[in-house]
Amino acid sequence: MKLVIVGTGYVGLVSGLCFSELGFETICVDRDAARINELKKGVCPIFEPGVNELLEKHLNNTKLISFTTSIKEAMKNSDIVFITVGTPTRRINNEADLTSIMEVAKEIAENINSYCVVVTKSTVPPGTTNDVKNIIKSKVLSENFDVVSNPEFLKEGSAINDFMQPDRVVIGADSEKPKTIIKNLYKNLNLKENYFFLTTIESSEIIKYASNSFLATKIAFINQVSDLCEKVGANIQDVSRGMGLDKRIGAKFLEAGPGYGGSCFPKDVKAFINSAKKNDVNFSILETVDLSNEIRPKEIVEKIINLQPFDSSSTICLLGLTFKPNTNDIRDSTSIKIAKLLNEKKIKINCYDPAISKSDKLKNNQFNYFESPYEACNNVNAIIVGTEWKEFLSLDFAKIKKSINEPIIFDLRNIYNQIEIEKLGFVYYGIGK
Ligand code: UDX
């Protein structure tokens, strides 16, 4: 069984490496020649725990993974082709930009010689996999291919684990043969039968969008509940815990904070709203979720300024710039948004993040970067915790107190114990408490 993965972003690269780990010969394709050259040398373009080790193992030892820029070359004798290219948001109307998906589908169509299953693994609006099918159908006999929707639910920071130990594997197809072929790919995960969810193509496509949108809704909901907690003297962490004990609600994704970010939630929520609009469906709930998350960084900055009168003579230290810990991804990071908004008010920003890349620092060169949190906190007027990196839990605040101008901390991720921090002489502000 030979697999081709087109697109070496998070989903494509992690899937490719994990399929190699499951014993399949896998060829990863990307039109970005520089990226492919680096991958051929074993240099990984993404920061993701465990990925370097799998790349080293399957590139050099098992030789199960290889890389190329040519779909044609990769597809020689291939059995299954996964489309894992990006579906970014189109700025004009917030719809998912499917240009890359359709271009790849055309190229795949030109290179199918014997029976092949074409799988959409990228997050795509309902109807896309069928559009892919129609593109291929114009060039290839129906008996020579099938299309399948097999969305990926991995999270950045725990991607390999999520792939290897999924909550479910969703497979959407309109006949049994391709369903069985794709299901068999996951055989070596040794999942119980009830982990597989076989359905139609459209349902599978919607499951992915609806799952991400539902989780985003949970976060937006708890964030607004946290605003109410602040007003009435309740504690959002107790409220979340108390709610989460109800098995129907569940404890996860109820952590209040500065809003959701990253490469998926903001984009997928917008694209799902757009799919509803296109189909004349009222999705006002999700529109409100999107809006509430868009304005959240501004609300947080207003709150900070109202609590403490910072001005152009102030410097604030921002700890954590990535959209969440264990990644170097700053796409749609709320920390960056907050830093920019503070900067617009002429407040200077000192930053420390354990993973942000050099190129991202250069792109955001209006901030001062430091190699340690302690250096970043020197002589500042306050600290903001923007991302809950584990190393921030063990910071020596007694030491920081000695070098900080004003001992004020805005803990946007509620990682510290308020009483302990206050005992050290800090003024502490959390979220929703
Ligand atoms: C998400 C989905 O979880 C994953 O299933 C899908 O395949 C891709 O999108 P990811 O973008 O890696 O994964 O991040 P996730 O861990 O879901 O966090 C998204 C954002 O929500 C982050 O900004 C995070 O800080 C925020 N978040 C998460 C909260 O604010 N509160 C929470 O309780 C959980």
Side-chain angles (χ1 to χ4, degrees):
M1 191 65 82
K2 190 176 139 191
L3 315 186
V4 174
I5 312 253
V6 185
T8 59
Y10 263 97
V11 171
L13 192 55
V14 171
S15 303
L17 289 166
C18 289
F19 279 129
S20 299
E21 183 72 2
L22 294 177
F24 295 102
E25 184 190 344
T26 308
I27 306 184
C28 294
V29 187
D30 204 297
R31 64 178 172 198
D32 181 340
R35 197 176 180 94
I36 290 297
N37 276 339
E38 292 291 283
L39 281 163
K40 278 181 177 172
K41 287 187 252 165
V43 180
C44 181
I46 59 170
F47 175 101
E48 181 64 39
V51 159
N52 279 324
E53 290 75 5
L54 283 188
L55 183 59
E56 157 77 22
K57 177 176 171 188
H58 295 298
L59 188 66
N60 300 326
N61 302 346
T62 69
K63 304 204 188 306
L64 280 172
I65 201 155
S66 59
F67 299 95
T68 173
T69 51
S70 160
I71 292 183
K72 186 176 179 179
E73 185 190 307
M75 281 192 62
K76 276 179 203 148
N77 310 316
S78 64
D79 303 285
I80 301 171
V81 184
F82 287 91
I83 303 178
T84 56
V85 294
T87 52
T89 307
R90 267 206 182 110
R91 277 189 191 274
I92 328 157
N93 58 358
N94 283 336
E95 73 179 345
D97 184 346
L98 302 174
T99 315
S100 301
I101 300 251
M102 297 312 161
E103 279 172 10
V104 166
K106 276 183 206 148
E107 234 184 305
I108 290 173
E110 279 155 18
N111 290 290
I112 292 180
N113 302 312
S114 55
Y115 180 78
C116 182
V117 183
V118 180
V119 188
T120 50
K121 213 176 210 343
S122 305
T123 303
V124 292
T128 307
T129 308
N130 219 23
D131 291 343
V132 166
K133 180 179 175 176
N134 288 333
I135 287 176
I136 301 176
K137 214 160 97 182
S138 65
K139 295 256 163 82
V140 183
L141 289 175
S142 298
E143 61 262 35
N144 270 350
F145 80 101
D146 275 305
V147 292
V148 168
S149 159
N150 172 220
E152 184 48 59
F153 297 93
L154 56 81
K155 299 184 289 299
E156 290 185 21
S158 58
I160 290 173
N161 224 28
D162 292 340
F163 188 99
M164 291 300 194
Q165 291 167 34
D167 286 348
R168 78 292 212 193
V169 175
V170 175
I171 300 169
D174 46 22
S175 64
E176 286 312 307
K177 182 177 167 185
K179 274 185 189 162
T180 311
I181 291 174
I182 299 304
K183 193 177 162 202
N184 278 338
L185 287 183
Y186 295 94
K187 212 159 114 188
N188 285 346
L189 289 181
N190 296 319
L191 300 172
K192 288 199 183 114
E193 197 52 37
N194 60 357
Y195 277 67
F196 289 96
F197 189 71
L198 308 185
T199 180
T200 63
I201 288 173
E202 289 75 14
S203 299
S204 166
E205 290 171 327
I206 289 206
I207 285 168
K208 172 67 193 195
Y209 266 132
S211 299
N212 273 3
S213 298
F214 188 76
L215 292 171
T217 303
K218 255 185 129 174
I219 298 167
F221 179 87
I222 208 66
N223 283 344
Q224 291 198 334
V225 174
S226 81
D227 293 342
L228 182 60
C229 286
E230 277 174 25
K231 298 273 176 184
V232 302
N235 182 317
I236 192 64
Q237 287 175 296
D238 284 351
V239 172
S240 294
R241 244 173 262 141
M243 283 172 67
L245 289 172
D246 185 329
K247 289 193 183 69
R248 294 169 303 174
I249 297 172
K252 289 183 181 157
F253 282 73
L254 282 182
E255 275 164 41
Y260 59 77
S263 65
C264 294
F265 282 0
K267 159 181 87 73
D268 292 349
V269 164
K270 288 181 200 303
F272 204 26
I273 293 170
N274 191 274
S275 283
K277 259 199 198 124
K278 272 190 174 165
N279 289 286
D280 279 330
V281 170
N282 176 351
F283 214 159
S284 54
I285 291 182
L286 206 56
E287 283 171 15
T288 307
V289 166
D290 182 40
L291 179 66
S292 74
N293 196 67
E294 284 291 329
I295 61 173
R296 186 132 182 104
K298 199 163 170 259
E299 288 174 345
I300 300 260
V301 167
E302 273 160 19
K303 192 177 99 177
I304 289 173
I305 306 282
N306 283 338
L307 287 167
Q308 294 287 338
F310 299 116
D311 58 25
S312 57
S313 67
S314 314
T315 303
I316 293 182
C317 166
L318 179 59
L319 296 179
L321 290 169
T322 51
F323 83 94
K324 66 172 190 178
N326 303 322
T327 175
N328 68 350
D329 198 340
I330 59 160
R331 283 177 289 177
D332 254 311
S333 156
T334 46
S335 283
I336 299 273
K337 286 179 190 167
I338 287 168
K340 283 184 177 168
L341 287 166
L342 288 166
N343 227 211
E344 279 170 19
K345 296 188 186 296
K346 309 277 178 264
I347 296 166
K348 290 175 273 308
I349 303 291
N350 282 5
C351 311
Y352 169 75
D353 184 281
I356 187 171
S357 67
K358 271 190 194 147
S359 59
D360 281 334
K361 282 185 189 173
L362 282 174
K363 272 185 222 151
N364 296 284
N365 62 4
Q366 66 272 51
F367 312 133
N368 308 313
Y369 294 92
F370 292 85
E371 292 305 311
S372 94
Y374 298 102
E375 282 173 39
C377 289
N378 257 342
N379 299 321
V380 297
N381 302 88
I383 299 168
I384 296 177
V385 177
T387 314
E388 67 278 33
W389 282 94
K390 208 170 171 191
E391 68 172 82
F392 299 156
L393 282 175
S394 51
L395 285 181
D396 181 347
F397 277 99
K399 179 175 163 183
I400 290 174
K401 174 89 191 318
K402 287 182 194 149
S403 67
I404 198 165
N405 277 357
E406 292 175 74
I408 301 170
I409 179 153
F410 295 92
D411 178 5
L412 304 185
R413 298 288 183 167
N414 286 339
I415 60 172
Y416 296 121
N417 179 316
Q418 179 164 0
I419 297 168
E420 280 172 20
I421 293 277
E422 283 174 348
K423 256 191 220 155
L424 292 169
F426 278 82
V427 177
Y428 175 93
Y429 302 101
I431 290 278
K433 51 186 187 181

